[in-house]
Amino acid sequence: MISIFRYIMQGQYLMAMIAVLSRCFVVFCCLPIHELAHGLMAYALGDRTAKNQGRLSLNPLAHLNPLGTIMIFLFGIGYANPVPINPRNFKNVKGGMALTALAGPSANLLMGFVSVWGYYIFARIGTGNSFLQAIAMFFLYAAQINVMLAVFNLLPIPPLDGSKIVAAVLPDKAYYKYMMYERYIMIALMLLLFIGVLDTPISFLTSVLMRFISIIPALIFG
């Protein structure tokens, strides 16, 4: 995890500011795009609920959740208010929910991929220029947080997107029983994040995906 407090304690104030700005970028840009992706996928599959409620928007105020936003700044991962979905409007309910859920993390991975390119471009042209190197680090942090958000949201834990993808393969009875404990599972998830139990697996998966999406720009820019 990227620790803003660690940078401050070490006197690396520029790095701390870059980390804060990159998380602001995620909160005010990436999370709205994540939710918009959910809504657009649902709309494409026949559900107009998000559109009718004004959630097909890039306006952060239409999506941000106070607790999820705080989690972004504290832990580097969090969430926004889920886009409303009515699965009865899908021709294939389970398939429609799985595709809609997958759209959000996919959008984060795409933004991570674009940010990685930004990092390599500015790192190459900014050699010896501290300002351009700072921009490069901003893109690197934005890429890391986007990939981390994708990994986090794909965890098969309600109400995260991964639980809806799992629903496509679970029998209805098992899934409904699973969802009965959603509130308690979410509390447990936040506790695990707070004490750092999930840091290692999430960081490992994030590193693997970061290496994967960096293959092409790394080959080009070295």
Side-chain angles (χ1 to χ4, degrees), residues 78-160:
Y79 57 93
N81 286 324
V83 166
I85 303 295
N86 186 348
R88 289 178 296 182
N89 292 322
F90 298 142
K91 292 181 179 179
N92 182 323
V93 174
K94 285 189 173 183
M97 285 299 295
L99 288 173
T100 300
L102 187 59
S106 297
N108 285 123
L109 286 176
L110 178 60
M111 287 184 283
F113 180 69
V114 172
S115 296
V116 161
W117 278 87
Y119 163 70
Y120 276 96
I121 290 171
F122 280 96
R124 169 58 69 87
I125 67 176
T127 303
N129 185 310
S130 58
F131 177 72
L132 292 180
Q133 287 297 316
I135 294 177
M137 292 306 299
F138 168 84
F139 276 111
L140 178 61
Y141 288 167
Q144 290 174 335
I145 295 175
N146 265 298
V147 173
M148 197 179 298
L149 281 171
V151 170
F152 176 65
N153 277 285
L154 285 172
L155 294 176
I157 301 172
L160 301 179

Side-chain angles (χ1 to χ4, degrees), residues 154-167:
L154 285 172
L155 294 176
I157 301 172
L160 301 179
D161 297 326
S163 67
K164 299 177 179 64
I165 297 172
V166 168

